[in-house]
Amino acid sequence: MELTDYTIVENNRIAKDVLRLRLRCVAQREPPRPGQFVNLKIDGCYLRRPISVCDWDDCGGLTLLYKVVGEGTAKLARHLPGESLNILTGLGNGYTICAQAKRPVLLGGGVGAPPLYGLAKALVRAGQRPLAILGFNTAEEVFYRNEFAALCETKITTADGSLGQKGFVTHALKAAEDYDALYACGPEAMLRAVYHQMPPLAAGQAQFSFERRMGCGFGACMVCSCRTVAGYKRICMDGPVLTREEIVW
Amino acid sequence: MVDLRVSLSGVELQNPVIPASGCFGFGQEFRAFYDIDMLGSFSFKGTTSAPRFGNELPRVAECEAGMLNSVGLQNPGIDAVLAEELPRLKEHFHQPLIANISGFSIEEYAACCEKIDRCDQVGIIELNISCPNVHGGGLAFGADPDCAARVTAACKRVSGKPLYVKLSPNVTDIAAIAKACESAGADGLSLINTLLGMRIDLKTRRPLLANKMGGFSGPAVFPVALRMVWQVYEAVRIPIIGMGGVSSAGDVIEMMLAGAAAVQVGAANLVNPYACKEIIERLPMEMERLGIASLREIVGQAH
């Protein structure tokens, strides 16, 4: 965990209500693990805003994709390149890459997709052959289709059928065969549906990333607690990624 | 050289800066950021006799210059705190701790105090009779002078450590509660706990917090807290730990001028994990700028 000032390189709309925020930092930073998040201080908001890390480079650069959903993200969207943001980095456990897996499936729902991009890169580097299934409501909300496709086999679903397969990620998951690991991030209803639909995998091979309203983002305030099989956990510190075996549903 | 040392009922602190209960866990999370041994003390997460999960989520909301929480005293229970948290802290924290104790009955408060009394790491017991987020406990004791006095007296009987009672601002006359606690044997007072507040989600048209209401804290409450510290200072002779929206070295000095012998920092720690470190490092410069040689000397000077 580090508290650092970053400079905005880009803060542009890439789909309906979705922006890409690229940041650079003067000092060399420890690269994040796939699935980790950062907590941004936005002028005019008292609490920081947790946003997952989509991508990063070796020079301390970070890419975040975020959706404008409320006051905080609306304020963030008005920031311009060259401006500075104070960011707490390296938060959360992130995904644990299952080393034995060969054919992992990545399931992203809406703005749940961004952390899976950094994960897909890491999986490809580890010699695995991921399949990405990304679900959106409608074509104008789709983002990073080409970026994912450049890395791995990618399937798009839209609820209204305006792009890719009509339906939800769970529909596309039914057609996916022989996957030996599963990484998911998206709305809780999607995670729950995936949890109930998926075939049993070896322990730890199915990992779900959760979103919660947070206070601090580093485990101190207990506002993002959840009940798990292994007792109470803090989504910010002990999560946001929980294994299928830990989840109580 | 300026003198940052302060004293609370004979417990000597190297400086007056104390992270407030509920904003600092049991200290471990902040060790990743700085050496917590530089703090004057810290008040650990409100502890009850049995483990508690607390309230349903969402437990947090925001407003201009502040936040609301409805955690509801999530804690591992007094036995786990004594067996696990405090031993784990021993290596890294050598200052006298403040043990924040909560309960749902006078017996529960007293039982926790009795257990904590045997712990050498604890310098002061802080009795939380002002949690706004639990029903039938906490604030129920803090809103009535007689109840506040009864729980204070019961805990005083079973503990030899200085007993500070943490007061709620959600009362008509905080001075009356303060006097009742003093008469019942309290060695000091901590104030203020959070103000009861709420937010409503405009889209769902429902309260934003699952518990509907929550405790409001952050810089927005500082003037209210300062006013109450001022009023209580006029009403009692026992030391006061002042808190509520404190975010800077200037706020610490202002609280002390109002009558606080030491100062707690709450919400600021959640936004900036270095908040207390930065305040402690800034204090000597602020004191020099303002011509303050010793912090002890300014307590209540604004009166």
Side-chain angles (χ1 to χ4, degrees):
Chain A
M1 294 186 288
E2 286 179 300
L3 192 64
T4 318
D5 286 328
Y6 279 80
T7 304
I8 299 174
V9 178
E10 177 198 325
N11 191 21
N12 288 336
R13 185 181 174 279
I14 57 167
K16 184 174 181 286
D17 295 332
V18 177
L19 286 88
R20 175 167 61 195
L21 177 63
R22 288 201 300 124
L23 301 155
R24 72 178 151 76
C25 180
V26 188
Q28 188 92 10
R29 295 287 151 198
E30 186 160 327
R33 293 193 298 276
Q36 283 195 306
F37 66 96
V38 299
N39 221 356
L40 289 90
K41 186 79 181 91
I42 300 167
D43 278 348
C45 293
Y46 186 64
L47 294 172
R48 289 173 182 269
R49 292 297 189 277
I51 297 179
S52 66
V53 179
C54 170
D55 196 12
W56 56 93
D57 60 35
D58 297 332
C59 312
L62 294 178
T63 300
L64 317 178
L65 309 185
Y66 65 96
K67 185 175 184 179
V68 176
V69 290
E71 270 179 52
T73 42
K75 282 176 177 148
L76 181 60
R78 290 196 284 273
H79 276 283
L80 298 169
E83 291 178 353
S84 172
L85 285 173
N86 182 262
I87 304 182
L88 188 56
T89 59
L91 303 176
N93 57 355
Y95 292 104
T96 305
I97 291 177
C98 307
Q100 294 83 13
K102 292 189 171 58
R103 179 62 164 168
V105 62
L106 312 184
L107 295 166
V111 274
L116 301 177
Y117 182 71
L119 176 66
K121 272 192 168 178
L123 292 170
V124 169
R125 254 199 317 274
Q128 301 185 15
R129 209 166 45 84
L131 162 65
I133 302 174
L134 309 174
F136 300 90
N137 289 312
T138 182
E140 62 176 349
E141 293 180 5
V142 176
F143 59 88
Y144 263 44
R145 180 191 190 193
N146 296 333
E147 284 82 351
F148 271 96
L151 288 176
C152 61
E153 187 187 345
T154 302
K155 289 182 176 163
I156 302 290
T157 68
T158 50
D160 65 359
S162 53
L163 190 75
Q165 183 182 341
K166 183 175 162 59
F168 299 114
V169 293
T170 42
H171 299 131
L173 181 64
K174 275 189 191 126
E177 283 171 3
D178 299 334
Y179 58 87
D180 47 10
L182 181 149
Y183 306 90
C185 184
E188 196 141 328
M190 177 202 114
L191 298 183
R192 196 185 285 255
V194 170
Y195 173 96
H196 288 296
Q197 178 191 314
M198 62 172 286
L201 296 175
Q205 304 281 100
Q207 299 173 28
F208 295 74
S209 183
F210 288 81
E211 186 177 46
R212 288 285 184 278
R213 283 177 186 269
M214 291 178 187
C216 62
F218 55 90
C221 72
M222 316 304 276
V223 310
C224 64
S225 300
C226 73
R227 296 178 179 90
T228 75
V229 170
Y232 306 147
K233 295 208 170 191
R234 298 158 294 184
I235 290 299
C236 71
M237 182 84 173
D238 311 311
V241 178
L242 301 179
T243 64
R244 187 175 196 271
E245 295 73 34
E246 291 177 296
I247 298 169
V248 179
W249 261 334
Chain B
M1 261 315 261
V2 291
D3 189 356
L4 267 66
R5 293 172 302 165
V6 297
S7 165
L8 292 171
S9 308
V11 178
E12 302 291 327
L13 307 184
Q14 58 187 352
N15 64 62
V17 180
I18 306 169
S21 181
C23 298
F24 211 75
F26 291 91
Q28 297 300 332
E29 292 76 18
F30 286 84
R31 281 184 47 227
F33 296 102
Y34 65 93
D35 178 6
I36 59 172
D37 217 22
M38 74 185 301
L39 299 164
S41 172
F42 83 80
S43 179
F44 66 58
K45 176 77 184 137
T47 295
T48 50
S49 65
R52 281 178 58 82
F53 176 68
N55 293 322
E56 293 308 312
L57 275 61
R59 294 176 175 180
V60 66
E62 192 185 36
C63 66
E64 202 72 35
M67 62 178 286
L68 293 95
N69 89 82
S70 58
V71 172
L73 295 174
Q74 178 174 351
N75 79 90
I78 186 76
D79 294 334
V81 168
L82 288 169
E84 291 159 31
E85 295 293 350
L86 298 189
R88 193 146 59 111
L89 190 59
K90 210 165 198 165
E91 277 177 68
H92 311 285
F93 192 72
H94 306 98
Q95 313 305 321
L97 265 175
I98 298 181
N100 187 284
I101 298 299
S102 209
F104 294 83
S105 68
I106 289 177
E107 293 71 29
E108 186 183 352
Y109 276 105
C112 283
C113 288
E114 200 169 0
K115 284 182 178 173
I116 213 83
D117 198 53
R118 298 190 289 266
C119 179
D120 293 338
Q121 285 165 276
V122 172
I124 288 172
I125 297 176
E126 186 175 60
L127 217 54
N128 177 10
I129 60 163
S130 45
C131 178
N133 292 326
V134 295
H135 300 287
L139 183 52
F141 291 97
D144 176 76
D146 290 338
C147 283
R150 280 210 305 278
V151 68
T152 304
C155 293
K156 193 65 199 163
R157 273 196 294 278
V158 295
S159 168
K161 292 187 191 292
L163 185 70
Y164 279 54
V165 183
K166 185 166 178 179
L167 303 184
S168 172
N170 305 306
V171 294
T172 312
D173 183 3
I174 195 166
I177 312 270
K179 280 189 211 165
C181 294
E182 184 183 39
S183 305
D187 296 287
L189 299 167
S190 290
L191 59 132
I192 58 173
N193 205 319
T194 52
L195 289 141
L196 196 58
M198 78 180 291
R199 297 301 310 266
I200 291 170
D201 186 320
L202 298 182
K203 286 179 196 151
T204 65
R205 305 184 188 184
R206 302 289 304 155
L208 217 148
L209 297 169
N211 201 42
K212 298 183 181 71
M213 287 171 256
F216 172 31
S217 62
V221 311
F222 180 73
V224 179
L226 190 79
R227 181 265 292 179
M228 290 190 159
V229 168
W230 171 283
Q231 287 178 315
V232 169
Y233 184 79
E234 301 244 312
V236 300
R237 304 183 67 84
I238 50 180
I240 297 166
I241 305 177
M243 75 199 74
V246 173
S247 314
S248 68
D251 292 346
V252 169
I253 291 170
E254 200 172 335
M255 261 304 173
M256 294 184 80
L257 289 170
V263 175
Q264 290 188 6
V265 179
N269 292 296
L270 308 182
V271 178
N272 174 10
Y274 294 100
C276 286
K277 177 179 191 281
E278 288 172 6
I279 290 172
I280 292 166
E281 287 168 348
R282 182 76 202 166
L283 264 174
M285 283 174 269
E286 277 295 287
M287 289 168 68
E288 271 167 31
R289 190 173 73 83
L290 299 165
I292 299 167
S294 165
L295 280 180
R296 293 173 203 259
E297 288 164 16
I298 67 163
V299 176
Q301 246 183 18
H303 291 261

